[in-house]
Amino acid sequence: MINVELKGGTVKEFESGVTPAEIAKSIGMGLYKSVCCARVDGNVVDLRTPITKDCRVDLLTFDEPDGKKAFWHTASHILAQAVKRLYPSAKCAIGPAVDNGFYYDFEVEKPFTSEDLEKIKEEMKKIVKSGIEIERFELAPDEAVKMLEEMNEPYKVELAKEHSDNGEHISFYKQGDFTDLCAGPHLMSVAPIKAVELTNCTGAYWRGDANNHQLCRVYGVAFPKASMLEEHLTMLAEARSRDHNKLGRELELFTTSDVIGQGLPILLPKGARIVQLLQRFVEDEEQRRGWLLTKTPFMAKSDLYKISGHWDHYMDGMFVLGDPEKDDEVFALRPMTCPFQYQAYLNRQRSYRDLPLRYNETSTLFRNEASGEMHGLIRVRQFTISEGHLMCLPEQLEDEFRNCLELAIYMLKTLGLYEDVSYRFSQWDPKDRNKYIGTAEQWDEAQGIMQKILDHLEIPYAIGVGEAAFYGPKLDIQIKNVYGKEDTLITIQIDQMLAEKFGMEYVDKDGSKKNPYIIHRTSIGCYERTLALLIEKYAGAFPMWLAPVQVKLLPVADRHLDYVYEIKKALDACGMRVEVDSRSEKIGYKIREAQLEKVPYMFIIGDKDVEANTVSVRHRKEGDLGAMKLEDFIAMAQKEISTKEIK
């Protein structure tokens, strides 16, 4: 017999080999029908997993993130089963759960149309209605490969052969006439999936490599209740209205051009103004906190990247100028600024008295992102980042890390994004040593230091194994776009390896030479990504201090133009961003246009304003604020701008 601790601290006794599904059934059929997977001593497992020792078991329903993933993973298999029934020649690639649903990649003769997706969805409903039980089984590697070859599933064969190297048995899930190579976890049957929607169909390269075959990727989402799907579709409609890729173009903040290339957006005057305001704000705040501005080249010889390790560990993500096999001198555009700023440190000998030494830079960087990964301003090939590198003594490390975090939090709160972020402690994966430099002892030391700091600062973090930079662990500040896709906005990294590789030293109090600790950090992250998130957060209605046009002057008739331009001159003198709508249109039309442009304030100027030397003010959200003296408006507006108020 074994003792199992359940939710609330209750301990129950079970026979050794009991499964989470059997535990759920012993508690009640309602729980059994709703449970999706389980967490055993912190590890997510399938409901069919035998438990053979004392442990804690958490039964996870759709309300839990891991429960959702098991639910959606099962839905992805139902999608694949439906596709194979309707299109028997289709080849299955991969079909994981993602943060906001699931997808499955297929090799098909031609991409699916919207009509095809409707047919597939109807077939999925038939499969769910049948209530098929889902079975899990394992095969030896050679048996698994043979079975998949007989099924004519080349992508699955490739995956099985990779797993066969370690000699472990390979798991499969079977539901009726469909069998798929999969690690799971999955539901016990297809029956709980009461509502499903296929949301999109795009192209995707096998393994994200443009040199591989292009597949057809079908996205979907599923729920245990139809009402939950309706709520989700309403949320999606709201998300589409806030999508920065759509709204940013409508508001003329940015555009793209096929002749320039994918992932290379053009910031139009209004978008460029917002980024300029953000950069000035960031650089001024960093200077106030003791950071020293540098300006370094956009490219360097391969020699620099070979020292840092980027050449060996990151070259696929770099734009290389020249042929490494033939040319004597090869350059590459910089994917990050750290090795460049290290040269500033190496400009002269350093003493312990010089530390901490904080370098910041508004850095334009270049990364060779795969075409399938790029999206609007969120993920691009050229971007600008608020980057910084800090060299310090061991005893200064925690205080300086705290200062970097406080700077990031200050930026997030000022922008109104703080409540939307989460923290991830990104660690190395000791099972994939080729991705990283350094020894296991160095990684254990660096991660131990970071964990101590994060715990001491009481940072509520999740752990991301395999998400570390190749030279050190990091704190990633994560944020989701309107569709629920998570990206990293800000990072703070601890690095104890690159200083030694670059020969960065300081003379300590005892005269010995030592390597400093390095903190890599961003304060606001990538400006393009931040702009995208701000567009979505505020639906284009930016806080006044960031609005590209702060006041729109709307004369009722041409006879009011002279007075309007006097007002513009006064507002210009105060540093406000003002536009005049001098078109011969009705005032109602002008107001609607300004409202669609999300301008914070409008002045509707008519005869009474000219006679009384006033301005009639309208706010985009609060509506008509009435007539007031221009100097009163300026005082109110300047306070709103200087405090960076969000309203």
Side-chain angles (χ1 to χ4, degrees):
M1 301 295 287
I2 58 170
N3 293 317
V4 175
E5 181 185 346
L6 300 170
K7 186 177 180 181
T10 303
V11 177
K12 286 193 171 187
E13 197 172 58
F14 293 95
E15 292 280 349
S16 179
V18 68
T19 66
E22 291 166 339
I23 293 173
K25 190 179 286 187
S26 73
I27 296 171
M29 287 303 296
L31 177 61
Y32 173 72
K33 289 178 180 179
S34 63
V35 69
C36 300
C37 61
R39 190 181 295 119
V40 177
D41 284 341
N43 298 312
V44 177
V45 301
D46 190 271
L47 293 171
R48 305 159 185 79
T49 305
I51 300 171
T52 57
K53 63 178 182 179
D54 294 352
C55 60
R56 175 182 172 85
V57 174
D58 296 299
L59 300 169
L60 307 178
T61 66
F62 188 82
D63 294 331
E64 297 277 349
D66 287 322
K68 277 187 176 69
K69 286 189 175 181
F71 191 96
W72 286 336
H73 200 167
T74 302
S76 78
H77 278 216
I78 297 172
L79 165 60
Q81 185 176 13
V83 167
K84 292 292 287 186
R85 283 185 177 181
L86 295 172
Y87 308 92
S89 63
K91 302 292 184 289
C92 294
I94 57 170
V98 290
D99 288 341
N100 54 354
F102 59 89
Y103 70 79
Y104 212 111
D105 289 345
F106 304 95
E107 180 188 318
V108 288
E109 291 181 6
K110 59 180 182 177
F112 294 131
T113 64
S114 56
E115 291 79 11
D116 293 330
L117 294 187
E118 280 298 316
K119 292 178 186 175
I120 295 167
K121 184 173 73 172
E122 290 306 311
E123 190 64 31
M124 291 177 71
K125 290 179 181 178
K126 292 178 185 177
I127 293 169
V128 169
K129 194 173 181 180
S130 71
I132 305 168
E133 295 289 321
I134 300 173
E135 306 168 35
R136 182 183 186 278
F137 65 92
E138 294 183 353
L139 293 175
D142 55 343
E143 294 176 312
V145 170
K146 182 180 178 182
M147 185 182 78
L148 291 167
E149 287 175 338
E150 291 172 352
M151 292 168 61
N152 193 22
E153 292 289 358
Y155 298 101
K156 301 294 183 180
V157 170
E158 183 177 328
L159 294 172
K161 285 181 176 178
E162 289 177 2
H163 287 293
S164 67
D165 291 343
N166 57 26
E168 294 179 2
H169 276 51
I170 295 173
S171 61
F172 290 82
Y173 283 84
K174 183 177 187 298
Q175 52 196 52
D177 57 1
F178 178 74
T179 299
D180 203 354
L181 167 77
C182 188
H186 282 278
L187 306 183
M188 298 298 289
S189 84
V190 300
I193 298 176
K194 302 298 184 186
V196 65
E197 183 66 42
L198 300 182
T199 56
N200 194 16
C201 185
T202 65
Y205 292 109
W206 171 237
R207 298 184 179 274
D209 187 340
N211 296 314
N212 290 336
H213 197 83
Q214 188 170 41
L215 306 173
C216 182
R217 175 171 293 179
V218 179
Y219 286 95
V221 68
F223 294 93
K225 295 179 182 177
S227 60
M228 296 171 75
L229 175 59
E230 290 175 11
E231 291 172 9
H232 179 77
L233 294 177
T234 300
M235 182 276 292
L236 278 182
E238 169 68 13
R240 281 191 287 269
S241 73
R242 288 175 174 263
D243 185 342
H244 83 276
N245 217 359
K246 172 179 176 289
L247 195 53
R249 295 170 194 272
E250 291 174 354
L251 295 174
E252 295 189 349
L253 299 173
F254 75 96
T255 188
T256 52
S257 169
D258 289 341
V259 296
I260 289 179
Q262 191 180 11
L264 299 169
I266 300 161
L267 293 184
L268 298 172
K270 290 180 180 179
R273 176 66 70 197
I274 295 172
V275 170
Q276 181 190 55
L277 291 164
L278 288 170
Q279 288 180 2
R280 287 174 174 173
F281 165 56
V282 169
E283 288 182 358
D284 288 348
E285 184 61 30
E286 288 175 337
Q287 181 177 338
R288 193 178 69 79
R289 294 177 185 241
W291 291 82
L292 303 174
L293 188 65
T294 65
K295 188 173 178 62
T296 58
F298 284 7
M299 67 179 76
K301 295 193 297 183
S302 59
D303 306 51
L304 182 74
Y305 305 115
K306 288 175 181 175
I307 297 171
S308 66
H310 289 99
W311 201 252
D312 293 329
H313 295 273
Y314 200 81
M315 193 169 77
D316 288 345
M318 296 166 65
F319 289 101
V320 177
L321 310 177
D323 187 339
E325 300 297 325
K326 298 178 181 178
D327 298 335
D328 293 334
E329 200 169 63
V330 176
F331 287 77
L333 298 176
R334 63 181 183 184
M336 58 279 295
T337 314
C338 43
F340 294 82
Q341 288 194 326
Y342 298 162
Q343 304 308 306
Y345 181 93
L346 291 165
N347 183 53
R348 63 176 174 83
Q349 184 171 291
R350 304 292 175 178
S351 162
Y352 71 92
R353 293 188 180 91
D354 297 323
L355 306 183
L357 183 57
R358 310 179 188 96
Y359 288 139
N360 68 302
E361 184 164 338
T362 302
S363 306
T364 298
L365 304 178
F366 307 85
R367 295 185 185 174
N368 192 10
E369 299 283 2
S371 60
E373 295 295 319
M374 287 180 286
H375 172 63
L377 298 177
I378 295 274
R379 192 173 291 275
V380 291
R381 284 176 168 157
Q382 176 183 311
F383 56 95
T384 303
I385 194 168
S386 58
E387 198 164 15
H389 299 90
L390 184 154
M391 283 59 69
C392 66
L393 307 174
E395 60 267 27
Q396 297 168 336
L397 187 62
E398 182 169 347
D399 284 343
E400 292 302 322
F401 190 96
R402 180 191 296 108
N403 291 341
C404 291
L405 181 57
E406 287 174 351
L407 172 61
I409 290 173
Y410 171 73
M411 294 292 172
L412 290 167
K413 287 184 174 179
T414 302
L415 295 176
L417 297 175
Y418 181 67
E419 299 302 323
D420 303 329
V421 303
S422 60
Y423 297 94
R424 183 180 71 195
F425 178 12
S426 294
Q427 303 179 356
W428 81 318
D429 182 357
K431 296 178 181 177
D432 190 4
R433 296 291 300 273
N434 291 333
K435 281 177 62 177
Y436 310 96
I437 62 173
T439 64
E441 291 75 20
Q442 286 175 308
W443 277 94
D444 289 343
E445 181 184 354
Q447 290 184 174
I449 291 169
M450 180 170 273
Q451 182 172 349
K452 179 182 175 184
I453 291 172
L454 294 177
D455 292 344
H456 190 237
L457 297 177
E458 298 182 345
I459 301 299
Y461 58 83
I463 291 176
V465 175
E467 299 294 334
F470 69 82
Y471 49 78
K474 55 181 178 166
L475 175 67
D476 288 323
I477 301 180
Q478 303 290 105
I479 193 166
K480 294 180 179 179
N481 67 13
V482 287
Y483 295 105
K485 170 72 168 60
E486 186 174 82
D487 282 292
T488 301
L489 182 60
I490 294 171
T491 63
I492 307 173
Q493 307 172 19
I494 290 178
D495 170 15
Q496 61 173 6
M497 301 187 196
L498 292 186
E500 182 179 358
K501 289 176 76 70
F502 276 92
M504 298 165 64
E505 298 176 334
Y506 65 90
V507 179
D508 208 355
K509 296 176 185 177
D510 60 2
S512 63
K513 290 186 177 181
K514 296 179 180 177
N515 302 120
Y517 272 96
I518 300 174
I519 297 176
H520 306 238
R521 69 102 187 106
T522 57
S523 55
I524 203 174
C526 164
Y527 285 101
E528 288 83 358
R529 183 172 293 177
T530 300
L531 174 58
L533 293 164
L534 290 173
I535 293 170
E536 296 183 348
K537 173 76 174 182
Y538 297 110
F542 300 101
M544 190 181 182
W545 74 278
L546 275 179
V549 178
Q550 296 170 315
V551 183
K552 194 93 167 184
L553 306 182
L554 311 177
V556 175
D558 288 351
R559 63 180 178 274
H560 307 126
L561 279 170
D562 288 344
Y563 182 60
V564 162
Y565 279 107
E566 288 178 18
I567 295 169
K568 183 179 187 304
K569 186 177 179 180
L571 294 174
D572 286 341
C574 296
M576 291 191 201
R577 298 180 289 281
V578 187
E579 284 185 357
V580 176
D581 188 343
S582 59
R583 296 174 298 171
S584 298
E585 300 282 358
K586 291 183 178 180
I587 192 64
Y589 178 81
K590 291 182 180 182
I591 292 171
R592 285 193 298 275
E593 287 281 293
Q595 197 77 34
L596 288 172
E597 292 173 17
K598 318 281 187 177
V599 179
Y601 289 97
M602 293 154 261
F603 288 3
I604 295 90
I605 306 297
D607 291 335
K608 290 182 180 179
D609 292 298
V610 175
E611 292 167 8
N613 198 30
T614 59
V615 291
S616 294
V617 182
R618 181 181 181 84
H619 187 264
R620 65 187 170 199
K621 292 181 181 177
E622 298 171 5
D624 187 8
L625 302 183
M628 62 180 73
K629 292 291 184 182
L630 181 59
E631 54 266 31
D632 292 337
F633 172 81
I634 289 173
M636 177 186 75
Q638 286 181 330
K639 181 181 178 183
E640 185 177 337
I641 293 166
S642 64
T643 59
K644 297 181 172 57
E645 182 181 355
I646 297 172
K647 73 180 215 180

